[in-house]
Amino acid sequence: MTLIAPPPRPMRLVDHFETGLNSPICLTWELTYACNLSCVHCLSASGRRDPRELSTEECKAVIDELQRMKVFYVNIGGGEPTVRADFWEIVDYATSHDVGVKFSTNGVRITDEIAARLAQNDYVDIQISLDGATAEVNDAIRGPGSFDLAIRALERLFSAGMTRLKLSVVCTRTNIGQLDEFKAIADRYGAQLRLTRLRPAGRGADVWNELHPTQDQQRELYEWLVRHADEVLTGDSFFHLSALGESLPGLNLCGAGRVVCLIDPIGDVYACPFAIHEEFLAGSIRDGGFGTVWRDSALFAKLRAPQSGGACRSCQFFDTCKGGCMAAKFFTGLPLDGPDPECVRGFGEEALARTDRTRPKPSVDRSHRTSPPRPRGGSRPVPVTLQRMRPAAPPVSACEESPVAEYIAGLKGTH
């Protein structure tokens, strides 16, 4: 008797992503650590400019390489990217070289003139950061006056006819109850709401215990996302919540080093936009260019290899949540092959209770030397001095939508 082996399973699109692509689908690029705000949860611990920042010409060289690699777009953040004197020059150069730009800002440099200019560029998307639907909630996280700053920017962009506008919210314990209000603000200004996850990275590590959503709030968030699945972007921030039921839209996979990565202000390349730490440093564009890092990094090769899943592999929900967020695990002291600290089945809390590992500190901290004390209890207002004409903006930005959305759309267009 001859046994005939079953035909191999066709390779799914997600399988291609797990083993990496020839170029990232979306790239996060922090142009500067300079910022006029001192947001308590800032992933990149921004505040002061690094004197080693890439020059204008170096930035243009990166864009030339991204064009050759056919990278769809870059997510530009910081720090506050608009405080760089050459920011608009860099944006214009990128969009004129087939590289779309999606940038995050707290709105500090959005004048009426700038708003009108941006509305005319079809290859630019703007993301305004707001972490409370009221000034009381927002300003406790981002600093006094930051709510009004963001709303003024939204008003100016809307009045200028800007249609590629997003409202970005980091979900915290203090604002989960405001999801409907955030949606109403976004709708008022013709923007799309984008929700992202609080990560315990950068200054966020100091406030994570007080600010990350409770288990009940995680379920509340999940149910809200299911109801608004076609209206809200998440950038795959919440795939760990899929273990509560049906999968949320998106890749539902950690794309670090596979389809996404980050370039920091001095040209260092990190596997994960949420993990600016030497553990995830893949190389520098100053040593042979970005393409060399993307293709040849030993770290990226390791991330693209088959993953064991560790202790989570035996969980019936592993194929849904894939063990959760690498950055969240790392910065809470959990092993990378262990459960997510916010695992909805409770395994993360159990692991945190057992671990005696020291929590890693960020490798880079450019916080203002006069940064305010961290909030305790998660709701006390945090005094922050707005420094005019100095650096400004939100924490690290992730992909504006599922990293695969435009890629899949392109594939459909070929059939």
Side-chain angles (χ1 to χ4, degrees):
M1 177 178 172
T2 302
L3 294 177
I4 301 176
R9 186 190 70 181
M11 198 168 189
R12 301 168 300 169
L13 191 59
V14 70
D15 296 326
H16 288 285
F17 295 141
E18 286 185 322
T19 56
L21 300 175
N22 291 333
S23 62
I25 290 174
C26 82
L27 173 74
T28 296
W29 189 358
E30 311 300 351
L31 281 183
T32 184
Y33 286 126
C35 191
N36 63 310
L37 300 185
S38 294
C39 303
V40 299
H41 59 359
C42 180
L43 292 167
S44 55
S46 289
R48 294 173 288 120
R49 175 182 175 273
D50 190 311
R52 300 169 295 167
E53 276 181 7
L54 297 175
S55 67
T56 305
E57 292 310 310
E58 285 179 306
C59 289
K60 289 181 177 179
V62 171
I63 292 167
D64 290 339
E65 193 167 13
L66 298 180
Q67 182 185 29
R68 291 192 296 270
M69 294 174 70
K70 301 186 185 305
V71 172
F72 289 128
Y73 61 89
V74 291
N75 286 308
I76 292 180
E80 172 56 44
T82 65
V83 301
R84 272 191 64 140
D86 59 358
F87 176 72
W88 305 115
E89 180 181 353
I90 291 171
V91 170
D92 289 342
Y93 189 85
T95 58
S96 66
H97 286 73
D98 306 316
V99 178
V101 171
K102 306 191 179 198
F103 74 88
S104 298
T105 177
N106 57 31
V108 67
R109 292 290 175 86
I110 305 298
T111 63
D112 289 333
E113 293 75 18
I114 290 295
R117 175 179 172 181
L118 291 169
Q120 298 303 311
N121 192 331
D122 292 338
Y123 296 96
V124 174
D125 282 30
I126 308 167
Q127 177 173 290
I128 303 296
S129 296
L130 194 69
D131 292 326
T134 59
E136 179 183 11
V137 174
N138 177 83
D139 292 4
I141 301 296
R142 305 184 62 81
S146 56
F147 180 85
D148 291 340
L149 188 69
I151 295 299
R152 186 163 61 247
L154 287 168
E155 290 173 345
R156 288 172 173 167
L157 290 162
F158 178 68
S159 296
M162 182 67 187
T163 58
R164 298 163 306 284
L165 183 59
K166 295 179 177 64
L167 178 66
S168 179
V169 177
V170 177
C171 293
T172 66
R173 192 170 300 181
T174 59
N175 67 21
I176 288 292
Q178 297 184 320
L179 295 174
D180 288 334
E181 288 84 348
F182 282 123
K183 183 69 168 54
I185 293 173
D187 291 345
R188 185 184 313 150
Y189 297 108
Q192 188 166 23
L193 180 61
R194 178 180 180 272
L195 301 179
T196 191
R197 183 180 178 184
L198 174 70
R199 263 82 171 193
R203 288 197 294 271
D206 296 330
V207 298
W208 190 79
N209 284 338
E210 291 81 18
L211 288 184
H212 81 93
T214 65
Q215 284 285 350
D216 286 344
Q217 288 179 322
Q218 297 273 18
R219 179 172 288 280
E220 180 183 352
L221 172 60
Y222 170 78
E223 292 172 351
W224 193 90
L225 288 172
V226 169
R227 291 197 303 271
H228 297 273
D230 298 328
E231 308 168 82
V232 178
L233 302 176
T234 65
D236 268 331
S237 284
F238 303 107
F239 60 90
H240 69 294
L241 298 182
S242 293
L244 287 170
E246 62 184 280
S247 294
L248 296 172
L251 183 56
N252 287 309
L253 172 75
C254 173
R258 300 179 177 103
V259 296
V260 299
C261 67
L262 174 138
I263 300 176
D264 83 348
I266 64 173
D268 284 342
V269 180
Y270 293 87
C272 175
F274 306 108
I276 303 178
H277 188 279
E278 59 190 13
E279 186 85 7
F280 304 103
L281 179 60
S284 171
I285 66 166
R286 283 172 163 160
D287 297 328
F290 172 73
T292 299
V293 179
W294 183 259
R295 290 188 302 269
D296 301 335
S297 163
L299 173 63
F300 285 176
K302 180 179 179 182
L303 290 171
R304 294 164 188 167
Q307 305 296 307
S308 69
C312 288
R313 192 75 198 185
S314 60
C315 177
Q316 63 176 314
F317 298 100
F318 177 74
D319 286 338
T320 302
C321 81
K322 298 293 183 182
C325 174
M326 179 176 72
K329 289 186 273 193
F330 178 77
F331 284 113
T332 52
L334 296 179
L336 298 186
D337 62 353
D340 188 292
E342 293 184 299
C343 167
V344 296
R345 316 306 297 182
F347 300 129
E349 291 179 351
E350 294 175 11
L352 286 172
R354 292 195 306 267
T355 187
D356 57 359
R357 294 180 61 194
T358 301
R359 291 188 177 189
K361 295 294 183 182
S363 297
V364 175
D365 190 343
R366 294 286 170 184
S367 301
H368 295 297
R369 292 186 179 90
T370 57
S371 287
R374 310 297 183 238
R376 297 299 171 193
S379 58
R380 192 183 312 169
V382 182
V384 177
T385 301
L386 292 179
Q387 303 174 20
R388 295 187 182 279
M389 302 310 291
R390 275 291 182 210
V396 172
S397 57
C399 291
E400 298 294 341
E401 58 258 356
S402 167
V404 304
E406 295 182 46
Y407 180 81
I408 294 173
L411 290 179
K412 290 180 178 178
T414 63
H415 296 293

